[in-house]
Amino acid sequence: MAAKSQICSIWLGSETGILKGVSLTKKQAFNFCEMSCMSRDQEVCVMAWGDPHESEVLVGSVNGTVKTFSTDKGIFTATRECGDPSQGRFTGLAVTDSSMITCVESGLLKVWKEGSTETAEVNAGNGICRMQQNQSQRHRVATGGKENPLKVWDLERPDKPIFTAKNVAHDWLDMRVPVWVRDIGFIPDSDKIVTCTGHHQVRVYDPLTPQRRPVLEARFGEYPLTALSLPANQGTVVVGNTHGELAILDLRKGLVCGCLKGLAGAVRGLQCHPSLPLVASCGLDRFLRVHNLEDRSLQHKVWMHKKSGFFLLSLHFIFFILSSSNADFSGDVEEVKAEEEEDEVWDTMETVTEKAKKRAAQKDEATATGVDGKKKRKLVKKVM
C-alpha cells in the first residue's frame, strides 16, 4: 500500500468512510481503509493536511473520530476521539504548530493541544456550516452557517470574535435577507475574506474597514452555492453550486469571467492548486475532474468506480485535498472505459422512428389475426 499511496496526488473521502487516493498519471483511484469494519457512521466529513510536508492526512468522520493517515506508509497510524455525534458532524478541521482545531455543527469549536487532554472551547453559535483556517495566520479561523453570520476568531484570545459580519440591508420589499454561509476562504496576503451562500451570493468582507457589511457582492446562477476555492492568481474565485455549475468570478468587478463545463451533479468538493492555474472538483456524478483555469479546458477526468463488495453504497465525495508536490498535470484527458462502453452500447442500438413504430404495430396486429403472408401484405397496404 505504501507504493500506491506515494503516487497519489489527490485524496478524497467518501460517504462510506473510504479514503481514496487518486493518481493522475495512471488515471486510477486506490482505496485505503479497513473493509471489514466499514459503516455509514464512518462517513468522511472533513479532511486536512497533518503537517506542512503533506506526509499525513487527517480524516474526520461522522462518529466524532479523527484518524491520521500516513501517505508514506499507506496506512492509518492513529485514531483520536474528538467529538460527540450528538453535537453534529464536523464542519472544519485544521492544525497549528502544536494543536488541532475541530468544529461541529452545534458551533462547538475546540483546540486540542498535543500531548494533553485539556481543550480550549469556543462557542461559535448554532448552525455552523463551515470553519476555515487562515493559512497566513494559523491561529485565526472563520466560522459561518445558517442564520449564523461570518465570524473571525483569534484562538489566542478566544473570548469573543475579532470580527462579526453584519447582514446586508433589507431587499426592495423591505424584507430581511436570510443568512446562509456555505463556504469561506481567506484571500492570500490580505485580510479580506470571501464567502459563498446558499442563496447564490458571493461576498467579500474586509475586517480592516469600519463597515461590517460586505464590500462586494456578486451573484451566480439561481441555485445554492456549495463550495469555493481561491486560485493561485489573486483577484478571482471559483464557485460551484448544487446543479453542477462551476464558474470563475472576478472579485474586483463582481462579474463572471467564465464557466467550467463537464459536471453532471452537485459540486461537493472544490480545491484550487496552490501554485498552478488548476482546479479539481468532484460531485454527485462520481467523477474527479481537473480543469485549467486559463483556457477552462478539462485536463483530467477519473472515474471513482466502486468495488464489487460495496455496490450498494453510494460514493458521493465530500471533500478532497490537492497535493502540490506529487501532482502531474501533463497529457490529454483519458476517456474512462466505463463511459466508453456505455457510449458503444448506445451507438449500436437502432434508432426507432414513428414509421417503424407503426410498421411494428401493424405487423403484430396481422400476426394476431392469423392471416397468411399475402393477406398480411394487403392488410398493411390498406392501413397505409
Side-chain angles (χ1 to χ4, degrees), residues 121-161:
E121 297 185 359
V122 177
N123 186 7
N126 195 20
I128 294 293
C129 295
R130 188 75 171 122
M131 185 273 286
Q132 187 67 266
Q133 183 185 33
N134 188 345
Q135 295 300 322
S136 59
Q137 299 177 337
R138 302 176 69 86
H139 60 279
R140 292 189 176 185
V141 297
T143 60
K146 199 164 188 177
E147 296 304 330
N148 194 327
L150 172 69
K151 298 175 185 177
V152 181
W153 303 84
D154 188 347
L155 298 180
E156 295 178 352
R157 297 171 295 169
D159 297 334
K160 62 179 181 179

Side-chain angles (χ1 to χ4, degrees), residues 288-305:
L288 169 69
R289 295 176 175 86
V290 178
H291 286 85
N292 190 316
L293 294 175
E294 293 181 347
D295 55 6
R296 301 194 292 276
S297 61
L298 182 63
Q299 299 292 313
H300 298 275
K301 181 179 178 181
V302 183
W303 167 251
M304 301 288 104
H305 58 276

Side-chain angles (χ1 to χ4, degrees), residues 72 89 109 147 184 214 227 230 236 260 270 297 329 348 376:
D72 295 331
R89 62 175 60 197
L109 191 151
E147 296 304 330
I184 306 170
L230 294 165
T236 58
L260 306 176
L270 187 64
S297 61
F329 297 97
T348 55
K376 187 191 302 181

Side-chain angles (χ1 to χ4, degrees), residues 194-230:
V194 186
T195 66
C196 66
T197 72
H199 304 289
H200 57 90
Q201 302 153 337
V202 177
R203 293 169 175 167
V204 179
Y205 295 87
D206 189 356
L208 297 182
T209 59
Q211 67 175 17
R212 293 186 290 124
R213 285 175 174 167
V215 296
L216 183 140
E217 178 175 326
R219 293 175 180 267
F220 170 68
E222 299 178 355
Y223 306 103
L225 299 177
T226 56
L228 67 82
S229 185
L230 294 165

Side-chain angles (χ1 to χ4, degrees), residues 97-313:
D97 296 334
S98 60
S99 60
M100 181 176 61
I101 309 168
T102 61
C103 185
V104 294
E105 291 177 330
S106 63
L108 183 60
L109 191 151
K110 289 186 177 182
V111 180
W112 304 79
K113 296 181 180 180
E114 185 177 358
S116 176
T117 57
E118 298 181 358
T119 60
E121 297 185 359
V122 177
N123 186 7
N126 195 20
I128 294 293
C129 295
R130 188 75 171 122
M131 185 273 286
Q132 187 67 266
Q133 183 185 33
N134 188 345
Q135 295 300 322
S136 59
Q137 299 177 337
R138 302 176 69 86
H139 60 279
R140 292 189 176 185
V141 297
T143 60
K146 199 164 188 177
E147 296 304 330
N148 194 327
L150 172 69
K151 298 175 185 177
V152 181
W153 303 84
D154 188 347
L155 298 180
E156 295 178 352
R157 297 171 295 169
D159 297 334
K160 62 179 181 179
I162 59 176
F163 174 79
T164 302
K166 186 178 181 180
N167 195 11
V168 296
H170 291 188
D171 60 12
W172 63 282
L173 291 175
D174 198 23
M175 297 183 65
R176 176 185 175 276
V177 178
V179 177
W180 192 4
V181 180
R182 294 294 297 268
D183 203 355
I184 306 170
F186 286 89
I187 299 178
D189 303 327
S190 173
D191 291 312
K192 294 182 180 179
I193 306 168
V194 186
T195 66
C196 66
T197 72
H199 304 289
H200 57 90
Q201 302 153 337
V202 177
R203 293 169 175 167
V204 179
Y205 295 87
D206 189 356
L208 297 182
T209 59
Q211 67 175 17
R212 293 186 290 124
R213 285 175 174 167
V215 296
L216 183 140
E217 178 175 326
R219 293 175 180 267
F220 170 68
E222 299 178 355
Y223 306 103
L225 299 177
T226 56
L228 67 82
S229 185
L230 294 165
N233 58 334
Q234 298 183 9
T236 58
V237 63
V238 183
V239 296
N241 62 16
T242 56
H243 275 236
E245 298 172 341
L246 285 177
I248 307 171
L249 274 68
D250 189 340
L251 293 178
R252 292 164 292 189
K253 300 179 180 179
L255 303 176
V256 178
C257 300
C259 295
L260 306 176
K261 298 182 179 180
L263 278 76
V267 179
R268 305 294 294 274
L270 187 64
Q271 184 71 44
C272 291
H273 195 274
S275 58
L276 300 176
L278 299 169
V279 59
S281 61
C282 59
L284 297 185
D285 59 355
R286 305 178 191 177
F287 277 100
L288 169 69
R289 295 176 175 86
V290 178
H291 286 85
N292 190 316
L293 294 175
E294 293 181 347
D295 55 6
R296 301 194 292 276
S297 61
L298 182 63
Q299 299 292 313
H300 298 275
K301 181 179 178 181
V302 183
W303 167 251
M304 301 288 104
H305 58 276
K306 298 178 292 185
K307 294 290 184 180
S308 59
F310 295 89
F311 64 94
L312 295 178
L313 302 180

